[in-house]
Amino acid sequence: MLDFSLTPDQEALKARARKFALEEVLPVAAYYDEKDEMPMEVLKKAFDAGIMNADIPEAYGGKGNGLIESALVTEELAAACPGLATSIFDSSLGVEPILLSENETLKRRYLPKIAGSFKLVCFATSEPGMGSDVAGIRCKAEKRGDDYILNGTKYWITNGGAADYMTVFATTDPGKGHEGICAFLVDRNWEGVSVGKKIPKMGQRCSNTAGLNFRNVRIPADNVLAPPGKGFVMAMKTFARTRPIIGSFGVGAARSAMEFALEYAKKRKAFGAPIQNFQAIQFKLAEMYQKIETARLLTWKAAWDADNGTEPEVNASIAKFYATEAALEVVDEAMQICAGYGYTRMFPVEKLYRDIRLLRIYEGTSEIQRIIVAGHLLTKYRPVMPPLADLPLHREEDPLSPGFGEEGKAPWRCRMCGHVHYGEEAPEECPYCFFPKSAFRRS
Ligand SMILES: Cc1cc2nc3c(=O)[nH]c(=O)nc-3n(C[C@H](O)[C@H](O)[C@H](O)COP(=O)(O)OP(=O)(O)OC[C@H]3O[C@@H](n4cnc5c(N)ncnc54)[C@H](O)[C@@H]3O)c2cc1C
């Protein structure tokens, strides 16, 4: 059964998120972007409205939302401000390794706190010297008795300057690659934890990004999220669940940009007519809408996969790179339609443009998504079609080759170019590609 309809609860959640986006996010977005500041009170309101940290299971005191719910909420928030949407969603990214952890004691201790009161959790794999190559982490975790001592620096950490808790990925031995990767839940107030200055950015200036430094930070054994050897898989599984939602950022931002362009196209006149009358503009709008609808389908499919127990990794990557690249194309076209005004800071398209450029970079670049999808195709994908050498032959005749069906004549297929020769044996040489007899195999 295929069903794209939302449940009454999902419709209500979407309406709540839309109301929050229009009333609490949109009015402050441009202001905080100019100020380059993250408004903590908006995050607190999002938590109070039940649209932040809402994916913690009910067993731990949470709302138990799935990824579809997260996609619905994020599309609405990102439509109003991708930067604030990042700040709000980032806590789910930080919580994900806790949800994936096998450390039940830690889950029971932290998840009810995060579900029940306003807490931010950030996620830290990236470092000054690495981002894509998670197995190349240098932040060092040294075992001391049952505890670990953490030393190193994390960089680009969203909400790094505001989070109460940090899910930090480290290595026991940089020489071991992914085998050495482990993960910990770190309390911001522990001795030896420090936060760097806010990193100035091109866009998403309503979200906080900072470096984190750990100097001889003692991590109690209870705070191990993943022991050495299990941290890499945990990071990959986290991304597989959060990448569809980055797709939703693209859907929301692109939707806004299209709506601003649509309104402008109706009002703006050139050569004596509203520009909406020009087919060049209509085609742009049609393609923008097509990309938004396609992107939403892909993100929902990947989110649905995750919610229904299907391994979401490949569809998550497809959704992420399609939706985020489509968003950039849509916002670019929206700017083209709004033209000079679109390029100004008084029109909202310019901010969307700056904000969404990041989507192709964080949580795995577009290149990394392509590597994942290509890797799947090359190693796991099971084709339906037979290989060229085994293509079935027409049962009654072969217009390309004489000799079909004649007594004693068997089909011989050239493995290089696909030519089928009928004969008692293979020809000395292929008449098409000149490969020798040895290239032929009996079909
Ligand atoms: C605003 C912002 C917020 C962020 N938030 C967080 C956060 O909360 N937590 C966190 O851990 N990280 C965060 N990041 C880091 C982000 O995930 C990384 O920037 C991203 O993964 C890319 O890593 P990099 O910048 O080190 O680029 P690199 O990995 O150095 O890559 C440089 C370029 O080479 C390409 N490349 C790399 N490897 C390959 C390959 N094998 N084949 C082909 N091309 C390749 C990349 O695609 C890219 O184009 C954030 C980044 C930014 C800018």
Side-chain angles (χ1 to χ4, degrees):
M1 189 179 83
L2 196 59
D3 184 358
F4 291 104
S5 57
L6 299 177
T7 65
D9 282 352
Q10 288 169 337
E11 288 287 5
L13 178 67
K14 185 169 106 169
R16 199 157 76 242
R18 183 168 290 181
K19 186 169 184 307
F20 186 87
L22 292 174
E23 292 178 4
E24 303 294 346
V25 178
L26 194 59
V28 300
Y31 173 81
Y32 285 106
D33 172 60
E34 283 295 336
K35 280 188 85 179
D36 195 3
E37 186 182 314
M38 179 175 81
M40 274 294 262
E41 69 278 6
V42 178
L43 272 64
K44 168 85 171 60
K45 283 183 189 171
F47 177 78
D48 292 339
I51 54 173
M52 186 179 153
N53 287 343
D55 34 18
I56 295 174
E58 288 171 6
Y60 300 100
K63 297 197 162 29
N65 282 354
L67 283 197
I68 288 284
E69 284 77 12
S70 200
L72 295 173
V73 168
T74 302
E75 178 179 332
E76 299 307 323
L77 296 179
C81 176
L84 262 163
T86 287
S87 302
I88 292 169
F89 174 68
D90 181 70
S91 211
S92 290
L93 168 65
V95 163
E96 196 61 51
I98 311 179
L99 300 180
L100 291 170
S101 176
E102 291 168 9
N103 184 344
E104 202 49 45
T105 316
L106 180 146
K107 287 168 129 165
R108 300 236 161 257
R109 203 159 93 240
Y110 285 97
L111 288 175
K113 273 195 258 185
I114 301 164
S117 55
F118 175 58
K119 300 269 182 226
L120 293 181
V121 188
C122 68
F123 173 93
T125 52
S126 304
E127 300 180 356
M130 60 65 59
S132 306
D133 180 13
V134 175
I137 280 175
R138 288 285 176 275
C139 184
K140 190 85 194 292
E142 199 183 318
K143 193 125 201 260
R144 278 285 165 85
D146 288 341
D147 298 349
Y148 284 85
I149 305 295
L150 194 63
N151 276 292
T153 299
K154 293 290 167 185
Y155 204 55
W156 312 113
I157 307 309
T158 301
N159 288 352
D164 302 277
Y165 305 119
M166 306 157 167
T167 51
V168 179
F169 290 74
T171 179
T172 47
D173 179 355
K176 280 191 173 169
H178 64 268
E179 292 286 330
I181 308 294
C182 42
F184 307 99
L185 187 69
V186 175
D187 190 312
R188 153 106 181 74
N189 295 316
W190 285 349
E191 205 180 323
V193 178
S194 35
V195 175
K197 283 178 73 174
K198 178 180 71 184
I199 301 168
K201 310 192 291 289
M202 165 186 175
Q204 299 225 359
R205 289 148 57 95
C206 298
S207 79
N208 169 276
T209 316
L212 307 174
N213 183 259
F214 306 103
R215 206 157 293 168
N216 293 321
V217 177
R218 180 170 284 276
I219 317 265
D222 282 353
N223 280 52
V224 175
L225 284 166
K230 293 208 166 172
F232 183 81
V233 173
M234 172 178 273
M236 296 305 119
K237 285 194 166 172
T238 298
F239 291 137
R241 290 185 52 81
T242 53
R243 282 176 182 152
I245 309 306
I246 305 302
S248 299
F249 279 85
V251 177
R255 194 187 79 196
S256 279
M258 182 201 69
E259 290 175 4
F260 292 135
L262 190 60
E263 189 220 345
Y264 188 78
K266 287 179 180 168
K267 283 194 330 208
R268 179 71 177 180
K269 287 196 173 135
F271 300 95
I275 61 169
Q276 69 164 357
N277 290 10
F278 304 140
Q279 202 174 49
I281 300 291
Q282 291 173 4
F283 281 13
K284 281 190 200 303
L285 288 166
E287 284 175 22
M288 288 155 83
Y289 192 38
Q290 173 215 35
K291 285 175 185 159
I292 294 162
E293 290 290 304
T294 310
R296 188 184 292 109
L297 284 177
L298 288 173
T299 57
W300 281 16
K301 171 63 170 65
W304 185 94
D305 279 346
D307 286 348
N308 287 278
T310 307
E311 182 51 63
E313 190 192 24
V314 176
N315 282 339
S317 287
I318 293 172
K320 190 197 181 250
F321 84 77
Y322 180 82
T324 59
E325 291 175 11
L328 200 60
E329 289 162 13
V330 170
V331 177
D332 188 57
E333 286 292 47
M335 187 173 279
Q336 197 66 17
I337 291 172
C338 297
Y341 287 108
Y343 193 66
T344 69
R345 288 170 99 90
M346 282 87 83
F347 261 45
V349 179
E350 179 264 354
K351 174 177 175 298
L352 287 170
Y353 198 100
R354 285 184 289 111
D355 281 355
I356 63 151
R357 184 59 186 83
L358 178 59
L359 305 183
R360 285 177 54 200
I361 297 173
Y362 66 6
E363 299 228 13
T365 61
S366 283
E367 291 76 19
I368 296 300
Q369 308 316 316
R370 283 174 169 81
I371 289 171
I372 291 170
V373 177
H376 167 77
L377 285 174
L378 293 170
T379 60
K380 296 192 187 144
Y381 183 82
R382 305 267 283 274
V384 174
M385 289 298 136
L388 176 68
D390 299 332
L391 273 182
L393 298 169
H394 194 277
R395 291 197 189 90
E396 282 153 28
E397 65 177 307
D398 187 339
L400 286 180
S401 302
F404 175 88
E406 287 175 20
E407 182 84 21
K409 290 193 173 172
W412 299 85
R413 194 186 317 248
C414 172
R415 280 181 288 159
M416 183 52 59
C417 71
H419 163 61
V420 180
H421 165 89
Y422 295 89
E424 284 164 15
E425 46 183 279
E428 288 307 312
E429 181 179 83
C430 177
Y432 288 93
C433 70
F434 299 98
F435 259 63
K437 189 174 188 173
S438 58
F440 282 82
R441 214 171 67 187
R442 196 172 161 156
S443 285

